[in-house]
Each structure stands twice: as structure tokens, then as C-alpha cells.
């Protein structure tokens, strides 16, 4: 598949009567976006706010972050199976409003939702302190279930991002990149002397509000399979989960997966990017065995020489990670795994819930149990009511002066296991 991505730089977001992108500013018509959100009967009301880099603003509890994108040419459209009809995406031309993001917040759904600080210590731990954020604060109707609420917010957030993305369809991009993902045989013929490298992307699918959707289907319902990485850029994978904020892959993370970017940057130079495999992270042992068997089987069938494996979440999914690693290594394929650590606040606890001697090449995104104090900021978008209940918080986290002491697992993207963060170690 070949995909051309045009990046339109957004330097600010402002509200206006007319929605448009002009001179690097995204003007949003909040009344029109409100009407889109209220199409869902589960949403009672919605408020909009803007948070810019460097402002004294705290956003919480964060549910998802989404980048506005739109198809300009080619089959399908952004977020297939979710906001648009099911059709294979990943080819043609896509435009991106780079520097803008839709951030969804509201009454808490699970207990693993996060904090984004736009300035101060907390801003150093989240990539979304550097984006211009349109924050959408949802209030659900009374009496609905957590699953109904999560689905309503997830869908509304995607629709709003899709609507904003369409504003860039007819604009001339500031930068254009081309991504070419050839068939397996084409790649081998073109780069016969380069090592064939694949990427196994583990997707959170444990249920109980820990879900990821592929072309609109809950990934727990699928066996391990293959996609083109360009399909992911077009929104084929979206987040629907409430894992700890620090290592949750938001929809924005999927759209801008840095492992995919790095593999493309080396494709044809030091390696042949030959396969993109997606697999799930289920709860029961039989499901873990089945999915990891399929991961190893596909890697062996494709005769890959090296594989990168990235995880989402921690604890129970550590078993999936090590199973994938061990079984793929046993096919004769070298692996590198990307994870984060829960090593205790003093860093001396066992970092992963599972381990194996074959997992001898690892990149860590940091220790999520590290404690940090976030200073009081001038403005809060959302609510601080749940600060002490979210993962990473504890009794006494919220100080009387408005500062918050938490483990960094409460910060959205702090130890992201795609490497989409500032923390790492060797």
C-alpha cells in the first residue's frame, strides 16, 4: 500500500461562527460540534474549551486524545467502522491537522483515566502538553451504564475529530510524506540483502472497559492478524480502554505510532519492513496461548529475521508479552520488546509480572510508580473530584493548595509503551 500524508501545521485553536483553518489557526464552530455530540441520546450536555501549550491549565480526567485527519483521495475514510463505513483504508492521500488534538473528558468511566498539565512539572511527562487541545467535556444522562457512557464519549470524540479533520481536505499541506508498504515478495525482490523485520503490536482487549477497536470490531473477538501500517495512520485502530493513563495507547498514539515511523525511516536503508502483525491481550490463559501461538506462527510463516513487540498496559498483559517474545524467539527470530515498569516507588520491585531468559533485548519507557508533585495551576478543565481514585492517585493526593502528588501512572502518556514519551533506559 502507498499512502501520501499531508501535514497542515496548527499553531492555535479559536472558537468562531465559521469553522475553517486559516493562517495556521483552527477555527471551530462549537455549536455545530455540540449538535454532533448530542446526536447520541446518552449524552446530556457538552462543553468546549481550549488548552494551549504553556498555559496554566490542568485537564482531567482524560479519556482519549484524537488527531483530526481526513481522506483526500483513495478508498475508505478516517475511522472506518466507527464514524464512517467499513472500507479498507491506508492508501491514497490523507491530510492531518498536525499540532491539534481533541481531548475528551467528563465524569469518570473507569478508574484509570489521566491528567494532562499544559505547563509545569507534569507537562514534561505528557506529549499532549505540546499540542493545541480542543477539550470536550461530556455530561452523561442519568442512569446509564459505564459501557454505554464509554461508547457514547468514544464515538462522539471520533466524530468531532473527523469533522475538524475535514477542514483540511482542500488545503495545501506544509509538509508531505509518502509511505510505501509493498507486498512481502515485492519487498524481498527490492531489498534482497536487507534483514526482514516485522512489528507485533499488542492491543489491549481485556474487557471491562479495556478494549481496542479495529475497523469497528472489538479486538478480543479477533485472532492475531496482519494490517498495513498505513491503515493504522488512517484510523483503522481506535482506543476504547481505561488502562492506566501512563501506558494507555490513545487513538492519537495509534495514528502517530513512532515504532511504525522509525521502521519506515529505516526501510530500504538498514532493514526491510516486511510485516505488521496485530494481536490481542486477553484475560484467560487459553486465549493468551492461542493468540501468542498465532503471532509466532505468522512470524515463522513470513520468515522474518527480526521482530519488535510493543505492549499496552501492565500486569496481566505482561504474560502475553513474554509469551509472544518466547514463542517468536523459538522460531529463530530475534525480538526486541518495548514495555514499561511497575518497580515500586523505590524502584526495587520486580518490574514485570512475568519474565523469561529469551527476553534479553528490552526497551523500557520508565517506572510508572515514580512519584511526582504537580503544582497548582490556574485553571482546571474537567474536575478534580476523582484525583485520589484514579490509578496513580491515593488518599491525600490532592492537597488543600490545589497541588497533586501522584505516581506518574496518572499522567496521560507518561510511560507510553510505543516509546511516545521522554522516559527510557537501557
Amino acid at each position: 500500500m502507498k499512502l501520501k500524508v499531508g501535514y497542515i501545521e496548527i499553531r492555535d485553536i479559536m472558537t468562531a461562527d465559521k469553522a475553517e483553518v486559516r493562517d495556521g489557526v483552527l477555527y471551530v464552530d462549537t455549536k455545530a460540534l455540540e449538535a454532533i455530540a448530542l446526536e447520541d441520546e446518552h449524552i446530556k450536555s457538552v462543553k468546549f474549551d481550549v488548552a494551549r501549550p504553556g498555559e496554566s491549565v490542568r485537564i482531567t480526567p482524560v479519556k482519549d486524545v484524537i488527531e483530526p485527519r481526513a481522506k483526500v483521495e483513495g478508498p475508505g475514510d478516517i475511522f472506518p467502522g466507527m464514524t464512517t463505513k467499513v472500507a479498507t483504508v491506508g492508501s491514497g492521500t490523507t491530510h492531518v491537522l498536525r499540532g491539534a488534538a481533541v481531548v475528551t473528558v467528563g465524569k469518570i468511566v473507569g478508574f484509570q483515566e489521566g491528567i494532562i498539565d499544559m505547563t509545569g512539572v507534569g507537562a514534561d511527562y505528557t506529549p499532549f502538553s505540546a499540542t493545541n487541545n480542543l477539550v470536550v467535556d461530556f455530561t452523561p444522562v442519568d442512569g446509564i451504564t459505564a459501557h454505554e457512557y464509554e461508547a457514547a464519549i468514544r464515538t462522539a470524540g471520533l466524530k468531532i475529530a473527523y469533522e475538524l479533520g475535514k477542514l483540511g481536505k482542500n488545503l495545501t499541506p506544509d509538509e508531505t510524506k509518502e509511505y510505501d508498504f509493498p507486498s512481502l515478495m515485492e519487498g524481498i525482490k527490492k531489498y534482497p540483502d536487507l534483514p526482514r523485520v516485522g512489528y507485533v503490536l499488542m492491543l489491549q482487549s481485556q474487557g471491562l472497559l479495556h478494549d481496542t477497536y479495529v475497523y469497528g470490531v472489538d479486538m478480543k473477538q479477533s485472532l492475531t492478524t496482519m494490517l498495513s501500517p498505513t491503515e493504522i495512520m488512517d484510523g483503522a485502530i481506535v482506543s476504547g480502554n481505561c488502562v492506566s493513563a501512563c501506558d494507555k495507547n490513545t487513538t492519537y498514539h495509534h495514528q502517530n505510532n513512532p515504532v511504525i515511523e522509525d521502521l519506515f525511516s529505516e526501510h530500504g536503508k538498514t532493514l526491510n519492513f516486511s510485516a505488521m502483525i496485530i494481536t490481542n491481550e486477553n484475560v484467560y490463559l487459553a486465549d493468551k496461548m492461542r493468540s501468542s501461538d498465532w503471532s509466532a506462527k505468522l512470524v515463522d510463516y513470513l520468515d522474518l529475521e527480526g521482530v519488535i513487540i510493543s505492549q499496552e498496559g501492565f500486569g496481566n498483559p505482561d504474560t502475553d508479552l513474554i509469551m509472544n517474545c518466547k514463542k517468536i524467539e523459538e522460531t529463530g527470530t530475534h525480538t526486541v520488546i518495548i514495555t514499561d515498569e511497575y518497580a515500586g516507588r523505590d524502584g526495587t520491585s520486580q518490574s514485570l509480572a512475568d519474565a523469561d531468559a529469551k527476553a534479553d533485548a528490552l526497551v523500557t519507557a520508565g517506572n510508572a510508580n515514580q512519584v511526582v508533585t504537580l503544582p497548582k495551576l490556574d485553571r482546571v478543565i474537567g474536575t478534580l473530584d476523582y484525583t485520589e481514585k484514579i490509578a496513580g492517585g491515593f488518599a491525600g493526593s490532592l492537597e488543600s493548595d490545589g497541588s497533586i502528588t501522584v505516581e506518574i501512572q496518572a499522567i496521560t502518556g507518561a510511560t507510553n509503551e510505543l516509546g511516545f514519551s521522554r522516559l527510557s533506559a537501557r
Side-chain angles (χ1 to χ4, degrees), residues 37-354:
L38 294 180
E39 290 173 353
D40 194 307
E41 61 184 7
H42 298 102
I43 297 174
K44 181 178 181 179
S45 63
V46 61
K47 295 186 296 184
F48 295 88
D49 212 328
V50 177
R52 302 173 179 86
E55 291 185 338
S56 184
V57 175
R58 174 164 294 142
I59 310 168
T60 188
V62 174
K63 289 159 178 57
D64 198 10
V65 184
I66 312 153
E67 184 174 56
R69 297 188 171 205
K71 294 298 294 182
V72 176
E73 180 270 329
D77 211 337
I78 301 298
F79 309 129
M82 299 298 292
T83 62
T84 59
K85 292 181 179 180
V86 176
T88 301
V89 293
S91 60
T93 303
T94 296
H95 282 183
V96 178
L97 301 188
R98 186 163 63 184
V102 173
V103 178
T104 54
V105 302
K107 178 183 176 183
I108 202 159
V109 176
F111 291 97
Q112 294 174 304
E113 300 173 17
I115 299 169
I116 295 174
D117 280 1
M118 300 304 293
T119 191
V121 175
D124 293 337
Y125 288 95
T126 176
F128 305 116
S129 62
T131 50
N132 293 284
N133 300 317
L134 178 66
V135 185
V136 191
D137 189 349
F138 295 94
T139 299
V141 297
D142 296 333
I144 65 171
T145 67
H147 284 85
E148 290 171 328
Y149 179 36
E150 185 281 322
I153 292 181
R154 167 169 32 92
T155 303
L158 294 172
K159 285 182 177 180
I160 288 169
Y162 173 69
E163 191 69 17
L164 295 178
K166 290 190 293 185
L167 298 175
K169 288 185 69 170
N170 298 319
L171 300 180
T172 301
D174 297 288
E175 181 186 9
T176 300
K177 293 183 180 181
E178 295 188 14
Y179 301 89
D180 184 5
F181 192 70
S183 69
L184 181 66
M185 290 308 299
E186 287 174 332
I188 292 173
K189 290 177 182 178
K190 193 171 183 179
Y191 308 112
D193 299 323
L194 293 180
R196 296 178 300 283
V197 176
Y199 176 25
V200 176
L201 172 62
M202 294 170 54
L203 301 175
Q204 178 60 246
S205 56
Q206 293 177 283
L208 297 176
L209 302 173
H210 289 59
D211 305 303
T212 303
Y213 296 86
V214 181
Y215 280 95
V217 175
D218 190 335
M219 186 59 190
K220 75 168 65 67
Q221 301 174 16
S222 175
L223 290 166
T224 301
T225 188
M226 292 187 290
L227 289 181
S228 167
T230 57
E231 292 176 81
I232 300 174
M233 296 177 182
D234 273 351
I237 298 178
V238 304
S239 174
N241 72 66
C242 302
V243 298
S244 286
C246 63
D247 52 21
K248 168 180 175 171
N249 290 336
T250 67
T251 299
Y252 190 105
H253 285 103
H254 289 300
Q255 294 170 297
N256 295 277
N257 186 314
V259 179
I260 290 174
E261 285 284 347
D262 287 351
L263 285 169
F264 267 125
S265 70
E266 293 300 315
H267 180 59
K269 300 174 185 177
T270 62
L271 55 85
N272 175 7
F273 186 12
S274 300
M276 177 84 212
I277 297 169
I278 60 171
T279 188
N280 51 27
E281 299 173 353
N282 281 318
V283 176
Y284 297 109
L285 181 59
D287 295 323
K288 296 176 183 294
M289 294 177 67
R290 182 186 301 111
S291 293
S292 56
D293 282 348
W294 275 64
S295 296
K297 182 171 61 175
L298 279 175
V299 167
D300 192 34
Y301 176 74
L302 297 170
D303 197 24
L304 299 178
E305 297 171 76
V307 165
I308 296 171
I309 309 170
S310 67
Q311 179 185 10
E312 182 176 12
F314 71 99
N316 189 291
D318 292 348
T319 301
D320 302 81
L321 176 68
I322 297 302
M323 278 187 172
N324 280 311
C325 174
K326 180 181 178 181
K327 292 177 181 180
I328 291 172
E329 285 277 348
E330 288 172 348
T331 70
T333 305
H334 299 293
T335 64
V336 174
I337 62 177
I338 310 175
T339 182
D340 64 353
E341 302 176 62
Y342 285 76
R345 295 181 182 180
D346 60 0
T348 62
S349 299
Q350 180 173 316
S351 295
L352 298 177
D354 200 355

